Amino acid sequence: MHGNHVGSRPRRRWLISLLAVVAVLGGGAVPASADSTGAALRDFDAVTTVNERNVWKHMALIGDQYAIYNDLRLIEGPASIRQKWPFLPEQFTHDVDSAGISFSGPGFRWRHTWTKGNQAIVFEDSGIISGPFAIPTPYDGISDLNIGSGPTARVRHFAVRGGLFTFFDGLNFTIPTARLADQAFLPERFKSDLDDVSLEIENSEPTKFSYYKDNERLIFGSGGRIIELVNLDVKWPFLNSWRTIT
């Protein structure tokens, strides 16, 4: 095999690119991973995306740490959840089930909605807004979206549990009853037990959903148009050292 080393790297890059294209166009293919040491990577406990002044940012949680980043680099962290938000109750300082972010007030302040088991909490960097309070069911994933402005403004949530999803406004947490399986365009593995979800709006694609499962992220838009299906170690390689199981 050593005799085939010359020219193997360009061919490998070409193959990875081809598989990525197939994943996006075909919707069900498994995307390629980065050429790495093969170390096992931890899945996110929770991850969400926000569109802040037309700039995409992400926040992920693993264990007792968080990271804030864009598609190119880390912005903050990985660092301790407890140190970032010292007012959080102990149960929300580690192993969070789901997390969503909306905007509050001037300056695009981040308002977080986190769930763990049958509890939820809403907070900003300055302190707790509401909770912890009981919710009717645990969620695998949750996402927050600002709807409207002025006195009619509200926050809409999209939440998933098992193979089901739901939408609700404000603090009216509801039990998911709609079936992910009814979204026929989804690859089979994305029809149940998601790690988290994100729902955002942008000009070119009015509604964008992100579904996270293990090491994959699927993005689709209006009418089920698949936008991207990619492995997270390829999408955000600068997180790999944080995600590596030691």
Side-chain angles (χ1 to χ4, degrees):
M1 295 298 293
H2 294 287
N4 295 328
H5 178 73
V6 177
S8 63
R9 289 188 181 275
R11 183 178 184 276
R12 182 180 300 163
R13 287 195 294 268
W14 173 85
L15 180 58
I16 289 174
S17 298
L18 177 61
L19 288 173
V21 170
V22 170
V24 172
L25 297 180
V30 178
S33 289
D35 183 21
S36 66
T37 60
L41 298 174
R42 296 180 293 179
D43 300 334
F44 295 132
D45 293 334
V47 58
T48 196
T49 298
V50 293
N51 187 0
E52 182 179 312
R53 297 186 181 96
N54 294 318
V55 176
W56 293 103
K57 295 182 179 180
H58 316 277
M59 185 189 72
L61 308 175
I62 297 177
D64 61 357
Q65 294 187 318
Y66 76 96
I68 298 171
Y69 53 98
N70 57 30
D71 284 344
L72 300 177
R73 62 177 181 85
L74 277 164
I75 298 172
E76 185 177 326
S80 166
I81 294 172
R82 188 188 304 273
Q83 291 182 8
K84 172 73 171 178
W85 300 289
F87 49 80
L88 286 177
E90 191 279 334
Q91 68 268 30
F92 284 99
T93 63
H94 59 91
D95 306 315
V96 172
D97 289 341
S98 66
I101 297 171
S102 59
F103 297 115
S104 171
F108 284 82
R109 293 200 310 267
W110 284 18
R111 178 165 289 189
H112 302 263
T113 302
W114 290 9
T115 73
K116 184 170 182 178
N118 285 90
Q119 287 191 316
I121 192 168
V122 181
F123 65 94
E124 296 180 6
D125 287 350
S126 58
I128 294 173
I129 303 300
S130 183
F133 51 86
I135 56 178
T137 183
Y139 295 128
D140 299 328
I142 195 169
S143 183
D144 299 352
L145 186 67
N146 293 89
I147 302 293
S149 60
T152 61
R154 63 194 187 279
V155 174
R156 176 157 297 169
H157 307 275
F158 171 60
V160 294
R161 173 67 173 174
L164 304 172
F165 69 91
T166 186
F167 292 92
F168 60 93
D169 288 349
L171 301 182
N172 299 313
F173 287 75
T174 60
I175 296 174
T177 57
R179 301 193 325 146
L180 289 170
D182 290 339
Q183 297 176 313
F185 59 88
L186 288 177
E188 192 64 31
R189 60 192 178 279
F190 284 97
K191 294 180 179 180
S192 65
D193 303 321
L194 300 174
D195 291 335
D196 215 324
V197 294
S198 190
L199 170 60
E200 288 298 328
I201 292 176
E202 68 173 350
N203 294 333
S204 61
E205 188 73 51
T207 305
K208 285 180 65 174
F209 292 84
S210 296
Y211 285 5
Y212 294 90
K213 180 71 176 283
D214 300 327
N215 190 43
E216 292 180 281
R217 181 194 191 198
L218 172 70
I219 306 176
F220 63 92
S222 303
R225 185 179 74 87
I226 301 294
I227 299 170
E228 183 180 76
L229 174 57
V230 66
N231 274 0
L232 298 177
D233 59 333
V234 175
K235 182 71 174 179
W236 300 320
F238 50 83
L239 297 180
N240 289 350
S241 59
W242 179 42
R243 296 178 59 211
T244 298
I245 297 174
T246 58

